[in-house]
């Protein structure tokens, strides 16, 4: 049953291999090197399929987490839209350009993947319960970090059993490598992309810049009165495009350190020259 209500949209930007233009800089100055096949080879096409599967699953988890926490907190808007689910179809139906057309086109045209998704919420609920709204905002990045942790556990488990190894160089599809033949190579690539993509999605969306999740999540540190004033100020300033530009350039500077920190945790004591 649908209830008539005023509805706002939480739209999240997702970046893949291009990662806001920072990939080449990161991997030129840091460990490893970045490479994607530049031709329409079977390897390029297979890598694109893997990227898209991980991309779609990760975005679905992110938006589903937003919707679930909002539902728990008393806002059923996204729940009635069918988005409290890990089924990607309701999310694709809501944002077909951001979740299908743009990611696929960007991969073939620019050899990296970008897209977006959204979850509706009731702005009156956000004003009544700013802390619940902050929890809803943080739920999406929390889902991404959960996937980072799960992929790291799978990588370390594979290393323990002699299936994976620490690579001599790292890149966006090569966080770990197979040391046995067969499906292990596919699994290593898949887990590498899950680890890296969700690290990107989680940390990027945590930036406290509108329209990203962090700008609402940060209100969890404020009193309710301050949070309401802050939310009102953000809504009335129209920061959308400017905020994305600021986040774009700020994250370009931050991500090499985030990536290095994540690798240090994944492979303690291991360094790349």
């Amino acid at each position: 049953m649908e209830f008539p209500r005023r509805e706002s949209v939480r739209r999240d930007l997702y970046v893949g291999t291009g990662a806001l233009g920072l990939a080449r800089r990161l991997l030129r100055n840091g460990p490893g090197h970045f490479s994607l096949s530049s031709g329409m080879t079977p390897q390029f096409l297979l890598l694109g399929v893997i990227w898209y599967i991980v991309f779609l699953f990760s975005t679905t988890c992110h938006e589903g987490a937003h919707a679930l926490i909002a539902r728990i907190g008393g806002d059923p808007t996204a729940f009635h839209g069918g988005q409290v689910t890990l089924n990607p179809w309701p999310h694709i139906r809501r944002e077909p350009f951001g979740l299908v057309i743009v990611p696929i086109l960007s991969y073939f045209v620019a050899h990296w993947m970008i897209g977006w998704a959204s979850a509706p919420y009731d702005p009156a609920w956000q004003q009544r319960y700013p802390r619940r709204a902050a929890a809803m905002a943080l739920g999406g990045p929390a889902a991404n970090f959960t996937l980072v942790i799960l992929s790291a556990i799978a990588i370390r488990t594979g290393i323990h059993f002699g299936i994976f190894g620490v690579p001599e160089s790292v890149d966006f599809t090569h966080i770990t490598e197979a040391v046995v033949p067969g499906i292990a190579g596919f699994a290593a690539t898949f887990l590498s992309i899950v680890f890296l993509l969700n690290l990107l999605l989680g940390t990027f969306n945590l930036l406290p810049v509108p329209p990203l999740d962090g700008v609402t999540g940060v209100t969890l540190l404020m009193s309710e009165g301050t949070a309401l004033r802050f939310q009102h100020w953000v809504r009335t300033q129209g920061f959308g495009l400017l905020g994305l530009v600021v986040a774009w350039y700020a994250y370009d500077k931050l991500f090499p350190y985030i990536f290095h920190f994540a690798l240090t945790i994944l492979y303690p004591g291991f360094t790349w020259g």
Side-chain angles (χ1 to χ4, degrees):
M1 177 179 180
E2 292 286 347
F3 294 92
R5 61 177 64 241
R6 240 175 101 237
E7 184 180 292
S8 289
V9 172
R10 173 168 301 285
R11 180 166 281 108
D12 298 298
L13 178 70
Y14 296 102
V15 288
T17 359
L20 310 177
L22 60 85
R24 290 173 179 80
R25 177 183 301 180
L26 162 65
L27 296 169
R28 185 171 60 240
N29 299 328
H33 62 280
F34 175 79
S35 71
L36 276 178
S37 175
S38 58
M40 296 291 288
T41 64
Q43 180 186 8
F44 176 79
L45 295 175
L46 177 60
L47 188 60
V49 170
I50 299 172
W51 264 109
Y52 184 69
I53 291 171
V54 176
F55 174 87
L56 186 59
F57 177 68
S58 301
T59 56
T60 297
C61 289
H62 185 109
E63 297 302 330
H66 281 320
L68 175 62
I69 294 177
R71 169 65 170 164
I72 293 171
D75 178 13
T77 307
F79 172 78
H80 291 311
Q83 289 166 309
V84 183
T85 180
L86 293 182
N87 177 359
W89 177 243
H91 304 279
I92 290 174
R93 188 174 55 197
R94 182 174 180 84
E95 294 283 2
F97 281 91
L99 284 178
V100 179
I101 297 172
V102 172
I104 293 174
L105 281 179
S106 63
Y107 185 78
F108 281 103
V109 173
H111 297 173
W112 53 278
M113 202 169 285
I114 189 169
W116 62 86
S118 65
Y121 67 95
D122 182 359
W125 170 80
Q126 181 185 35
Q127 293 171 22
R128 288 195 304 270
Y129 306 108
R131 292 189 179 278
R132 297 183 191 181
M136 172 191 67
L138 295 176
N144 296 128
F145 293 137
T146 299
L147 292 176
V148 171
I149 293 169
L150 291 175
S151 63
I153 291 172
I155 290 171
R156 294 302 306 186
T157 301
I159 291 174
H160 176 76
F161 286 104
I163 300 171
F164 302 142
V166 180
E168 292 185 2
S169 63
V170 295
D171 62 36
F172 275 33
T173 61
H174 201 226
I175 303 299
T176 190
E177 63 183 5
V179 296
V180 296
I183 198 171
F186 172 85
T189 300
F190 181 84
L191 290 172
S192 294
I193 295 174
V194 172
F195 181 89
L196 220 305
L197 180 59
N198 282 281
L199 182 66
L200 282 164
L201 299 184
T203 53
F204 179 71
N205 279 288
L206 273 185
L207 292 178
V209 178
L212 303 179
D213 294 326
V215 78
T216 301
V218 74
T219 61
L220 200 62
L221 304 175
M222 305 175 185
S223 67
E224 288 201 2
T226 302
L228 288 171
R229 289 192 295 272
F230 179 74
Q231 289 172 2
H232 176 75
W233 179 75
V234 169
R235 284 195 305 271
T236 57
Q237 296 304 309
F239 282 124
L241 181 59
L242 177 61
L244 284 178
V245 171
V246 171
W248 193 280
Y249 285 99
Y251 197 67
D252 188 22
K253 307 296 184 183
L254 288 173
F255 187 71
Y257 300 100
I258 296 170
F259 185 44
H260 182 267
F261 178 72
L263 287 178
T264 300
I265 295 175
L266 182 63
Y267 299 127
F270 199 93
T271 58
W272 285 265

